Structure formats: C-alpha cells, structure tokens
Amino acid sequence: MTVADADRATFSHDPVMREEIVGVFADVPPGTILDATLGGGGHSEALLDSRDDLDIIGLDRDPDAIEAATERLERFGTRFRTTMRRYDDIDGGLAEHGVERLSGALFDLGVSSYQLDEGSRGFSYRHEGPLDMRMGPDASWTADDVVNGYDVRRLAEVIRRYGEERFASRIATAIVAARPIETTNQLAEVIVAAIPAPARRTGGHPAKRTFQAIRIEVNGELEALPLAIDAAIDRVVPGGRVAVLSYHSGEDRIVKHRMIAASDRCECPPELPCICGAVQTVRIVRKVAKKPSASEMERNRRSTSARLRVVERIAEES
C-alpha cells in the first residue's frame, strides 16, 4: 500500500476557504495556475473542477504530499503536474514544465492536517513523535537542532519573533534546563510548565505558539516568503492573480508588505510628483484581508486564524 493509499482520508479534508479561492481565480485568463503549496491537492482539485481551461503546476517539499495529490488528481490527466520544490523556487518549478507565464498563483501557508496529525513528522504538540518538523527531506535543520542546540538567548528570540510568545524567555530557559529533550511530548510538557497557570487557560494549547516558532525556524519559512511572492507576481500575466492564505500575523505582515510594494513601487517623497519612473504592476483586490466564514470556522477550527490577501496583475503602460 502506498503512502497515498494509507493517508488519503487524512489528506482529503476540505481546504481552507475553498469557495473563496475558487472565486479569486474565476475570471483570470485561461492558462496555468501555480499551486505553490500543494499539500493534499484540495485547492488544486477545486480549481480544476471549476474551469476546464485551467491547468495546475503543484509545488511541495513533502514527497508524501506529492504522492497523495498525484493520486487524488489523477483524473485530470495532463492538466495537473507536480514538482518537489520549496515555494520560493518558482522559476525552477516552471522551467521543469516548460512554462513561462502564469494565469495565477496560490500560496496556502498553513501546515496540512496530515503533517499535524502524523506524530512521526514531529509537528504536533498533541501526538508523540521525534523532534523533526521538516516540511521536506531537503531541509538541513530539524527541531532537535533548535531545541537542543540553540543557546537560551537565540532560542528565546526565535520563540518571540516567530511565535509572538510573551513568555519566550521563560520557555527558552526551561527548555535549556531540561535538555536533552527527545520527543514532542517532552517538549510540550516543558513549555506548559514554564507558562504561568492563569495564562495556560486561555488562547488554545499553551505550546502552540512555541511549536509554530520552531517549525518556522527549521524550515526557513519567513525568509523564503517575500522572494516567493515577488517571483509569483513577476510571472503572472495581466489579469492574473496571486492569492496568499496566511495563518499568523508575522506571515500576514510580510504578505501585506510585498503586495503593497508591488502596487506602489514609487520611491519618491509622497509630497512630491513621481520622477523615479516606477511602474505599478499590480492592484490590490481587497485592502483588508478576508477571513473564513463563521460556518467554516465552526466546522474547521484550524481555519480560524486564516487571512486571505489577493493582488491582480495589471498591464504596464506603454
């Protein structure tokens, strides 16, 4: 039995904001959509079902995801192609399939349910597993390197920056004191014990933010994100769109900044006329990030922090 056979049910959950994503790409020109974070292929399936004049190239670092999505979307034949790459290697992924321009690009920056629920991947604070957290085998760093290798100051900075955890120093000190830590359950217990009791009772699982921070550090996610968004915008044809689903404020700030930068590249002082020759390349489709519907958030708790931002490529003035 293949990985995809065994885990199809896990990979086949409804993708976050499925209908909203279909709506984003409903009127883009015919052509290729880049699903830069393929996962189980849920968004790709919805897009391919919605229009027969679109095809998909799916990128993912996780070979399990590639295998599951390929089997799930086999019915679409050559309209669906994949490549195992990180989402900032857009140029390489398109070159592999001989594609120059895109009708759209989608980034879903969340961790898949499969990765969270499969203890052996090391992402979960609820399931026993090794300190791994790599999105794919190409990652040179693991959670063990961070948890058992960083000094207390560096560890606290990671937890504070990427997890926005107000007890980062306390947690980092507790982790260093408890070394060696060997499993995700051990790590979660240390984190929970380091947080004051009143704070543990609000805001979800007490270890959530620290696990998120370590995952981001291991995979270099935020460093790759600005490059990936810029590359996608550069590849999209006029009328095409780039959509990004983010799940915490650090990601959303980067997405918002890159989209604003692309929509207003003028570097002249705002009180003076533009003389720098900057050319606007995109328009922001919605100035305020869109959230999932109340019914979706009730049905899928993992969607509650999702934020959708979209830009549309415009024709450059001649």
Side-chain angles (χ1 to χ4, degrees):
M1 179 179 292
T2 66
V3 171
D5 290 333
D7 293 310
R8 179 186 292 178
T10 309
F11 267 116
S12 296
H13 71 287
D14 286 340
V16 171
M17 299 183 75
R18 179 184 187 276
E19 296 307 317
E20 290 87 344
I21 293 299
V22 169
V24 164
F25 296 104
D27 297 319
V28 300
T32 301
I33 302 290
L34 177 73
D35 188 341
T37 49
L38 177 62
H43 285 121
S44 286
E45 183 177 44
L47 291 170
L48 291 169
D49 275 332
S50 70
R51 290 179 55 178
D52 59 12
D53 59 355
L54 295 177
D55 61 85
I56 299 281
I57 293 176
L59 273 63
D60 207 289
R61 300 171 72 179
D62 187 343
D64 291 353
I66 293 285
E67 185 177 359
T70 298
E71 183 165 334
R72 177 177 184 172
L73 304 183
E74 183 179 11
R75 63 189 172 94
F76 295 105
T78 58
R79 292 178 62 206
F80 176 69
R81 296 162 287 172
T82 65
T83 178
M84 196 170 75
R85 298 173 185 269
R86 195 166 77 164
Y87 58 60
D88 58 335
D89 190 11
I90 289 174
D91 290 346
L94 298 186
E96 181 178 330
H97 294 289
V99 173
E100 292 287 338
R101 305 291 282 172
L102 295 168
S103 295
L106 169 65
F107 298 82
D108 180 351
L109 304 178
V111 181
S112 72
S113 292
Y114 163 75
Q115 289 169 327
L116 286 172
D117 294 337
E118 177 57 48
S120 65
R121 299 300 298 271
F123 289 100
S124 177
Y125 42 79
R126 300 185 187 277
H127 303 288
E128 180 81 7
L131 293 176
D132 193 331
M133 298 194 193
R134 290 175 297 168
M135 291 287 193
D138 59 325
S140 59
W141 221 231
T142 69
D144 181 76
D145 294 308
V146 177
V147 171
N148 290 307
Y150 283 18
D151 64 36
V152 67
R153 181 176 297 181
R154 186 179 181 189
L155 184 56
E157 177 60 23
V158 167
I159 296 169
R160 184 179 298 110
R161 179 185 299 176
Y162 298 146
E164 299 181 323
E165 172 58 73
R166 59 179 170 142
F167 301 110
S169 294
R170 291 179 59 145
I171 293 168
T173 299
I175 289 173
V176 171
R179 288 172 175 168
I181 297 174
E182 297 180 350
T183 70
T184 52
N185 278 3
Q186 282 181 270
L187 177 60
E189 289 170 3
V190 170
I191 295 167
V192 171
I195 295 175
R200 297 177 207 158
R201 293 191 281 270
T202 61
H205 196 287
K208 178 180 179 179
R209 289 180 293 275
T210 299
F211 269 64
Q212 169 187 286
I214 295 170
R215 185 204 82 218
I216 290 172
E217 174 74 1
V218 166
N219 294 286
E221 294 172 38
L222 296 195
E223 288 84 354
L225 184 55
L227 298 173
I229 293 172
D230 290 352
I233 288 172
D234 287 343
R235 289 284 192 152
V236 169
V237 299
R241 290 181 167 186
V242 176
V244 185
L245 277 166
S246 60
Y247 293 83
H248 68 85
S249 58
E251 290 174 340
D252 188 54
R253 279 194 297 270
I254 292 173
V255 175
K256 180 180 179 181
H257 179 267
R258 296 319 306 156
M259 289 184 171
I260 290 175
S263 68
D264 183 11
R265 291 183 170 175
C266 177
E267 298 179 355
C268 300
E271 68 275 9
L272 298 176
C274 175
I275 59 172
C276 70
V279 177
Q280 182 182 1
T281 56
V282 302
R283 70 176 184 89
I284 296 175
V285 173
R286 181 185 174 93
K287 291 186 177 180
V288 178
K290 186 174 181 60
K291 301 178 182 180
S293 66
S295 61
E296 178 170 4
M297 288 190 283
E298 184 177 354
R299 183 180 73 250
N300 179 11
R301 292 183 60 190
R302 287 175 177 164
S303 73
T304 56
S305 60
R307 301 291 183 269
L308 174 63
R309 294 187 184 272
V310 183
V311 291
E312 181 176 300
R313 186 70 185 253
I314 59 177
E316 297 182 9
E317 296 180 0
S318 57

